[in-house]
Amino acid sequence: MKKLLAAGLLLAASWTVLPTVYGRSYAKRVKKQGPDCPEIALTFDDGPNPVYTPLLLDLLKQYNVKATFFVIGEKAKLYPDLIRRIEKEGHEVGIHNNRHISSWLLSPAALERELVQAASHITAITGNRAELYRPPWGHFNPFTLQKAQPFQTVMWTAIPGDWKKKMTPEKLAQKLRLARSNGAIITLHDSGHTFGAYEKAPAVMLEALRLFLMDQESAAFSFVTVSTLYRSKS
C-alpha cells in the first residue's frame, strides 16, 4: 500500500509540481525578467472585467503607462469593446486560456483547445494574432510548453497577492515598491471572479497602483508592454 501511495504521489508531482517548478524557474523559453534597463512591465491577468478594466485603463492613461493584459478568452468574447480599447490605447493583449482553468486539470488535447479558442477570440476581435501566453496560476503540466509553442510564455518577477481579501492599498503599494527594479515583470489582476480571489480585490489594486505610480521613485522607470521590455537592450 505504501509503495502504491508513493507511486501515486510521484505520478501526481510529475504532472503538476515538477513541470511548474521547471517552467517557472528553469525553462529558457519562458520569459521571467526583462533586460537590466529602467523599464517595468505591469501585467494584468483574468480580465477583461466590465467594472474594473475601464477604471484601470483610465488610470494607466493618466500616468502614461503601457501594460500587458493576459485575458480569458471567454471574457474577451463577452466584452470585445474592452479588448479593442486595450489595444487602441497602446497596450498588449495576451491570452490566459479560454477559461480560467489550471493546466494541471487539462489533458494535452484539452489544453490545446483552450489556447486555440482563446487566441481565435482575440483575432476575431482585433484582427491581430495574440503572441503572449501566461498559464492560469502559473501552472504547467508536462505538455504546456509544447502546446504553447506558437506563443511566448511569460511569467513574472513579482506577484504581490493583490487578490487576497485582507490586502490593503497601503500594503499592496509597498509590495509594488519592493518589486520595483530594472526589467521587472509584475503581475496584478483586473478581475476578482476567479477561484480563491476576493471579488472586490481589483478596487484595492487600483488604489494601490495609483499610490505606486504617483511615487517619486516610480517616475524613474518607464512602464512598457512585455514585448517592448524585451526589445530593450541590456
Side-chain angles (χ1 to χ4, degrees):
M1 181 63 72
K2 289 183 178 179
K3 289 184 178 180
L4 284 175
L5 179 59
L9 291 174
L10 179 60
L11 181 62
S14 298
W15 186 263
T16 60
V17 177
L18 296 179
T20 296
V21 170
Y22 174 75
R24 289 187 180 188
S25 302
Y26 301 105
K28 293 182 179 180
R29 286 188 50 240
V30 178
K31 300 295 188 184
K32 309 170 190 72
Q33 182 167 3
D36 187 17
C37 296
E39 295 182 336
I40 293 173
L42 293 176
T43 67
F44 298 92
D45 291 2
D46 298 359
N49 178 277
V51 175
Y52 296 113
T53 304
L55 296 174
L56 173 59
L57 290 169
D58 291 344
L59 180 62
L60 297 178
K61 182 184 290 186
Q62 179 182 349
Y63 286 92
N64 193 30
V65 168
K66 303 304 179 188
T68 300
F69 290 76
F70 290 96
V71 304
I72 302 298
E74 289 183 339
K75 292 183 180 180
K77 186 177 180 181
L78 282 175
Y79 308 110
D81 288 345
L82 286 176
I83 300 298
R84 283 189 282 265
R85 180 181 170 190
I86 288 170
E87 190 173 79
K88 182 179 178 181
E89 295 184 4
H91 307 294
E92 189 167 27
V93 179
I95 60 171
H96 199 43
N97 283 1
N98 195 52
R99 301 168 292 160
H100 198 285
I101 185 170
S102 170
S103 295
W104 295 355
L105 304 176
L106 296 171
S107 68
L111 174 58
E112 185 172 8
R113 285 195 298 271
E114 289 288 324
L115 294 167
V116 169
Q117 289 171 357
S120 66
H121 290 321
I122 300 307
T123 300
I125 294 166
T126 67
N128 297 319
R129 177 184 176 275
E131 297 184 352
L132 305 179
Y133 172 61
R134 175 177 287 157
W137 290 294
H139 289 174
F140 293 74
N141 70 35
F143 296 91
T144 299
L145 292 175
Q146 176 191 346
K147 296 301 181 181
Q149 196 166 9
F151 309 93
Q152 173 61 66
T153 302
V154 180
M155 294 305 290
W156 51 71
T157 58
I159 182 165
D162 60 316
W163 65 86
K164 298 176 181 178
K165 187 171 184 178
K166 293 185 179 181
M167 186 64 72
T168 65
E170 293 76 18
K171 183 178 179 180
L172 182 57
Q174 182 59 20
K175 286 178 174 289
L176 290 171
R177 294 184 190 104
L178 292 173
R180 183 173 50 200
S181 63
N182 286 1
I185 301 174
I186 301 174
T187 295
L188 297 166
H189 300 78
D190 56 329
S191 176
H193 293 286
T194 52
F195 179 77
Y198 177 46
E199 184 177 347
K200 297 181 181 178
V204 174
M205 181 276 292
L206 287 168
E207 182 55 32
L209 185 59
R210 185 184 305 277
L211 294 172
F212 173 67
L213 292 175
M214 66 189 295
D215 188 288
Q216 188 172 4
E217 291 186 34
S218 292
F221 292 86
S222 297
F223 291 89
V224 299
T225 66
V226 167
S227 292
T228 299
L229 184 71
Y230 279 97
R231 284 198 294 268
S232 302
K233 302 296 182 183
S234 58

